[in-house]
Amino acid sequence: MTASYAVLQERAQGRQWALAEKRRVRVGTALCGMAAGAGAVLDAVRREVGSLGLEATVSEVGCLGLCYAEPLVDFQSPGGQRVFYGNVAKEQAPRLVRAHLVEGQPAMEGALATLGGEALPGVPALGQLPMMKGQLRIALGNAGHIDPGSLEEYVAVGGYGALDKALSGMAPQQVLEEVARSGLRGRGGAAFPTGVKWRFLASSPGPVKYILANCEEGDPGAFNDKAVLESDPHALLEGIVLAGYATGASKGFVFVRHGHEGPIHRMREAVQQAYAAGLLGANILGAAFSFDCEVVLVGESYVSGEETALMEAIEGKRATPRYRPPFPAAVGLWGKPSNINNIKTLTYVPPIVARGGSWFASIGTERSKGTAILCLSGAVQRPGMVEVPMGRTLREAVEGLGGGVAGGRKLKLLQTGGPLGGLLSADKLDIPLDFDAMARAGAILGSGGIIVADDTACAVDLTRLLVAFCQFESCGKCFPCRLGTTHLLEIMERICRFQARPGDLELMHTVGTQMAAGSLCGHGQLGFNPVQSALKSFGAEFTAHIERRTCPAGVCDGKYLTPERSRR
Amino acid sequence: MPSPTRQAALTTPSEALRATIRRVLASQRGPTVTVLSSLLAVQDTLGYISPQAVAEVAEFTHASVNDVWGVASFYTNFRFAPPAQHTVEVCWGPSCHVVGALSLLKAVLEGLGRTGEGETSDGAITLKYNTCLGACAQAPVMKVDQQLVGRATPALASQWLRGLRREGPG
């Protein structure tokens, strides 16, 4: 017997009331928190609460985005006010527990922010923090607030309401039209209109069709897909089921890179809970629609994030791209019609269905609707994850939210859109976050990764590193990519060792052009992009390395390490 | 009941390993079970893919040994010899690179007495490079066994390595 949505809501409300009476401690334990030591902090909090026999719920939450302040802990009083602490050391945790849960102090010294309740002197409201101000959270609304391991908490904030709305009152075609009307474009890098993509699948014959949610996310500098899985996995799952309903698909796969245990665990847990609650499987929420979902792991391979290589990987093979046509919407996974969507794209779908496509289309720019979910990393004051309306500038993101370059240095460049995205010089900060404006400036918004480099970085050295990444990750199927990236790397290494030969730049250009022309997927097609974009903005630095045999930034000393290609 | 000879055979390391591999293959989560999922399951349990595992995966998935080697040699996380007691991974991706991954990597290499990936001479620690450990906002990042270590410095790395050495082979 499948539960109705009303029953789920009732259960969720019951839990919320029970929780509201208790005090609660939240510890962010997503990948970034764990890397900052949140595991030990969580243990310390639990130990203290346990040994004092305190009536309090200790919850793990995902990523609030304030990664610079991890480990992040917040204490919620029965009145609902939350007091956040940043950079909490495990030694500090017991004192915070006693202050909040035993002595009932409103806030301790060093509190980062408050949320809800009365303002506390000297402690800003969460939304007033420089990194939070001006954010618009659609896909990340629940991140860092709800327990990703609890279906009830997701339902309590309206979760699965969009699915209920669709299944109880909308035809699949209507759901598809809302998504088309929203103007949503794919957030994986290609920015293809989601509604158009879904129409291709909807018009393919069934009954077996697949929705593939891509969380390979091998791009260094991008972690927002993993953050969604770790922070709000049910939101993604609801998006997948809605995509399945709209397109007439029968099963979804969430594709995650092996080794990222947190995201994998959270997603598997969510799928299990959804089955148990009648949100997956036969006759979802009592409707005539049935849909399955499974989490599939892939080995380490950057190219497996490419949509056709991803299907090969799910089938258990080497992750190499397929020829197109036929396109996946006609012949995809195991030969069945399939749609491959990015995690963020699918996570936007529940709010679009709940609030209408026009609402989403009212946010952002003319051709880039909704928000951009950005990951700030590198030499930035406040590394982390933010969500802002499309149309804001890179400057607002990097300087406003991120606080600019750390340590009082000067900004040198941004590396956006993943390793193939290339370099943007510091004078390009006024480009708006817009797929097309970014492309016109020779950059890619891509998956939202923004790596900040200060003036201690050498553009030539960083270009060599990006080329090394492309070479290391070439899947080897197309020889222009396999040999071309190797050739490019050899030349870049020569340049960094001040051993450039006459004609090396022209040679790279020839190799790069042939890679673009002769490769099946974006890896080879865009593999020359890092060099090309770097030459455009930092030509003088290349000239210094090649002609004067010096590195103006003082980075290249001929003794760098490029991890050797180790497909052993 | 197995004969005494049979029982002895079952307890040879090779037979015990085979039994473990078969158990791992049969208890995969599924429902999608493939060459890749089987290899990942073996690697998760044994820490490496032995020649025997390749043969077992081939039989289990009705694939050829060639196909299985083809998949196993493609993904960079598979290894074909048992790992050391401890594994240290260092990220060399661009986020980490621009905030000092190179000096971190140099410190780790020095601490382990190595010039690249592989096992230390005493076989205690395996060093592996990684292109992204997924916590870019805490760059530079390394991973010591299962623990991610963010905002890593050469000094912090040396401290972790000393910790592993003290712990010794467990």
Side-chain angles (χ1 to χ4, degrees):
Chain A
M1 169 80 193
T2 34
S4 71
Y5 187 61
V7 171
L8 283 180
Q9 273 180 311
E10 207 173 300
R11 208 189 303 161
Q13 282 308 333
R15 182 189 146 101
Q16 286 309 96
W17 284 324
L19 274 179
E21 287 167 13
K22 276 185 155 181
R23 284 165 303 184
R24 185 164 184 194
V25 189
R26 291 177 178 83
V27 182
T29 55
L31 284 168
C32 55
M34 293 308 269
V41 173
L42 177 69
D43 287 346
V45 169
R46 286 211 166 119
R47 234 190 342 264
E48 191 69 10
V49 168
S51 69
L52 297 176
L54 300 172
E55 273 283 306
T57 311
V58 182
S59 307
E60 291 182 54
V61 293
C63 178
L64 190 62
L66 306 176
C67 306
Y68 71 97
E70 295 284 359
L72 203 60
V73 181
D74 82 80
F75 293 85
Q76 181 176 328
S77 62
Q81 181 174 51
R82 289 164 66 184
V83 182
F84 292 78
Y85 295 88
N87 294 303
V88 176
K90 62 177 189 287
E91 296 78 16
Q92 191 191 354
R95 202 159 52 84
L96 290 174
V97 167
R98 285 194 301 273
H100 273 274
L101 304 182
V102 181
E103 296 148 25
Q105 290 194 20
M108 290 284 287
E109 206 175 307
L112 180 74
T114 61
L115 183 65
E118 278 174 39
L120 295 175
V123 187
L126 185 67
Q128 292 306 308
L129 287 180
M131 199 173 188
M132 285 295 200
K133 224 169 167 173
Q135 284 202 45
L136 175 64
R137 295 201 160 209
I138 298 173
L140 299 181
N142 297 327
H145 298 298
I146 69 168
D147 177 352
S150 164
L151 169 65
E152 285 82 9
E153 283 196 31
Y154 180 62
V155 172
V157 293
Y160 289 108
L163 181 62
D164 178 54
K165 176 182 173 183
L167 292 181
S168 62
M170 292 168 85
Q173 179 67 21
Q174 283 174 288
V175 175
L176 208 160
E177 287 314 315
E178 284 304 328
V179 171
R181 190 173 302 125
S182 75
L184 176 64
R185 291 167 71 180
R187 296 308 203 246
F192 192 78
T194 306
V196 176
K197 195 182 224 181
W198 285 15
R199 267 189 210 127
F200 289 146
L201 185 65
S203 59
S204 287
V208 180
K209 297 197 265 187
Y210 300 119
I211 298 291
L212 314 180
N214 185 0
C215 189
E216 193 281 327
E217 200 173 48
D219 316 31
F223 45 89
N224 42 23
D225 293 340
K226 289 183 280 277
V228 168
L229 264 65
E230 285 192 290
S231 307
D232 201 6
H234 281 289
L236 168 64
L237 197 52
E238 185 178 5
I240 294 172
V241 181
L242 282 165
Y245 181 67
T247 58
S250 49
K251 182 167 180 179
F253 289 89
V254 185
F255 182 82
V256 195
R257 181 185 268 218
H258 175 263
H260 292 317
E261 296 310 329
I264 294 167
H265 163 71
R266 286 299 180 202
M267 201 62 222
R268 282 184 166 156
E269 186 179 51
V271 167
Q272 264 173 11
Q273 291 168 349
Y275 269 110
L279 292 160
L280 281 175
N283 301 105
I284 293 173
L285 292 175
F289 177 63
S290 302
F291 190 81
D292 286 296
C293 191
E294 183 183 348
V295 178
V296 180
L297 305 190
V298 65
E300 282 168 18
S301 151
Y302 180 62
V303 169
S304 68
E306 192 278 338
E307 62 174 12
T308 59
L310 179 151
M311 299 189 297
E312 292 287 298
I314 296 179
E315 292 179 14
K317 303 172 196 158
R318 295 163 73 99
T320 61
R322 296 176 180 174
Y323 290 90
R324 275 163 295 195
F327 287 93
V331 180
L333 183 63
W334 290 299
K336 303 295 182 192
S338 307
N339 251 189
I340 296 91
N341 289 282
N342 173 265
I343 298 301
K344 297 175 285 292
T345 312
L346 289 164
T347 309
Y348 284 121
V349 171
I352 288 172
V353 172
R355 305 179 66 171
S358 319
W359 160 76
F360 192 81
S362 71
I363 301 159
T365 64
E366 183 62 32
R367 295 198 59 238
S368 298
K369 299 301 186 188
T371 56
I373 302 176
L374 307 172
C375 297
L376 303 174
S377 68
V380 64
Q381 182 102 33
R382 290 187 287 269
M385 180 174 68
V386 296
E387 181 172 3
V388 292
M390 289 278 191
R392 297 280 178 83
T393 61
L394 283 167
R395 184 183 305 282
E396 287 173 277
V398 173
E399 291 184 350
L401 299 167
V405 173
R409 310 281 328 182
K410 255 182 71 199
L411 175 69
K412 175 154 187 174
L413 58 88
L414 303 179
Q415 206 271 299
T416 66
L420 307 170
L423 308 183
L424 265 183
S425 51
D427 58 343
K428 303 276 169 56
L429 275 184
D430 292 308
I431 300 173
L433 295 162
D434 173 290
F435 294 118
D436 310 300
M438 291 280 287
R440 278 195 298 276
I444 307 177
L445 182 52
S447 198
I450 297 180
I451 302 173
V452 177
D454 65 21
D455 54 359
T456 61
C458 166
V460 181
D461 170 67
L462 185 56
T463 304
R464 172 192 59 76
L465 185 99
L466 296 172
V467 171
F469 179 91
C470 294
Q471 192 268 352
F472 183 83
E473 292 291 0
S474 173
C475 82
K477 177 162 180 167
C478 310
F479 77 82
C481 174
R482 181 177 73 231
L483 300 182
T485 52
T486 304
H487 204 160
L488 288 182
L489 181 57
E490 281 170 12
I491 300 170
M492 283 307 304
E493 291 191 340
R494 279 208 291 274
I495 295 176
C496 287
R497 278 196 211 108
F498 312 124
Q499 293 168 352
R501 298 175 195 160
D504 265 352
L505 290 183
E506 293 74 16
L507 184 55
M508 283 205 287
H509 189 78
T510 307
V511 171
T513 311
Q514 290 172 356
M515 281 167 60
S519 304
L520 267 180
C521 83
H523 196 80
Q525 289 163 8
L526 297 174
F528 184 53
N529 207 27
V531 181
Q532 202 167 28
S533 67
L535 279 170
K536 207 164 115 189
S537 302
F538 300 97
E541 258 183 279
F542 276 80
T543 310
H545 284 73
I546 293 169
E547 288 172 11
R548 295 199 302 282
R549 318 257 158 189
T550 57
C551 173
V555 171
C556 299
D557 57 2
K559 281 186 273 179
Y560 59 82
L561 294 155
T562 302
E564 74 273 26
R565 184 137 180 273
S566 54
R567 295 211 180 275
R568 285 172 287 177
Chain B
M1 190 178 147
S3 70
T5 345
R6 174 79 181 125
Q7 244 171 350
L10 264 176
T11 55
T12 65
S14 152
E15 277 305 307
L17 190 62
R18 189 181 294 276
T20 307
I21 293 168
R22 286 188 174 163
R23 183 172 44 74
V24 168
L25 292 178
S27 57
Q28 290 183 69
R29 279 173 169 267
T32 301
V33 170
T34 64
V35 172
L36 177 56
S37 75
S38 303
L39 286 166
L40 288 171
V42 173
Q43 167 100 7
D44 276 346
T45 311
L46 301 184
Y48 75 109
I49 306 294
S50 66
Q52 212 174 17
V54 172
E56 287 296 327
V57 169
E59 195 184 313
F60 185 77
T61 56
H62 309 292
S64 72
V65 166
N66 264 358
D67 285 340
V68 177
W69 270 118
V71 174
S73 59
F74 179 83
Y75 296 96
T76 51
N77 55 311
F78 290 120
R79 37 178 304 136
F80 302 103
Q85 184 68 33
H86 298 291
T87 300
V88 174
E89 289 183 70
V90 181
C91 178
W92 62 277
S95 290
C96 293
H97 183 76
V98 298
V99 287
L102 192 56
S103 53
L104 174 66
L105 189 53
K106 282 177 176 163
V108 172
L109 286 168
E110 198 175 306
L112 297 178
R114 287 205 54 87
T115 54
E117 289 179 289
E119 279 70 54
T120 51
S121 53
D122 61 356
I125 301 172
T126 294
L127 172 65
K128 188 177 180 295
Y129 298 154
N130 200 307
T131 52
C132 188
L133 289 163
C136 313
Q138 306 295 346
V141 184
M142 57 188 275
K143 194 173 181 181
V144 180
D145 294 326
Q146 288 310 304
Q147 174 65 50
L148 280 171
V149 181
R151 301 171 202 167
T153 58
L156 187 63
S158 308
Q159 204 180 316
W160 272 95
L161 294 183
R162 278 198 303 276
L164 291 185
R165 295 289 193 196
R166 257 200 310 277
E167 218 176 284

